[in-house]
Amino acid sequence: MSALIGMPQGAEWLIILAIVILVFGAAKLPDLARGTGQALRIFKAETKGLKDDDDKPATPAPPTVELSPVDEVAEGEIVDEQREKNV
């Protein structure tokens, strides 16, 4: 029984190809193949990206600096300070 279940061989591929041509039409086959190729390329790139992410060690987030009310500067003050330096 296991000999009957397996990958299609020569004649079966021809029958499958004929059915695909009948269903999609000969004009649509290049578009179908192009779309399938693009989808496979995107899938491979994404899986490679996931593998690369797993290989990299996790980097800690940079420390955040919180400004106190005294350290906050208004935009106008910065412009005034730059004008004073240029004069």
Side-chain angles (χ1 to χ4, degrees):
M1 276 309 260
S2 65
L4 297 177
I5 301 173
M7 291 295 295
Q9 300 299 316
E12 288 105 5
W13 279 115
L14 291 175
I15 294 171
I16 292 170
L17 182 63
I19 292 171
V20 168
I21 290 172
L22 288 173
V23 171
F24 292 106
K28 299 276 185 181
L29 287 180
D31 294 334
L32 182 66
R34 189 176 303 115
T36 304
Q38 287 175 345
L40 285 174
R41 269 183 264 140
I42 292 170
F43 179 75
K44 286 181 183 179
E46 292 297 324
T47 55
K48 184 177 183 259
L50 290 174
K51 288 179 185 177
D52 291 344
D53 288 345
D54 290 342
D55 293 342
K56 293 180 185 176
T59 56
T64 57
V65 177
E66 296 197 24
L67 298 175
S68 65
V70 176
D71 293 336
E72 292 179 1
V73 179
E75 185 177 326
E77 293 176 14
I78 295 173
V79 173
D80 292 338
E81 289 176 12
Q82 289 176 350
R83 284 186 188 155
E84 290 173 5
K85 289 179 185 177
N86 290 337
V87 174

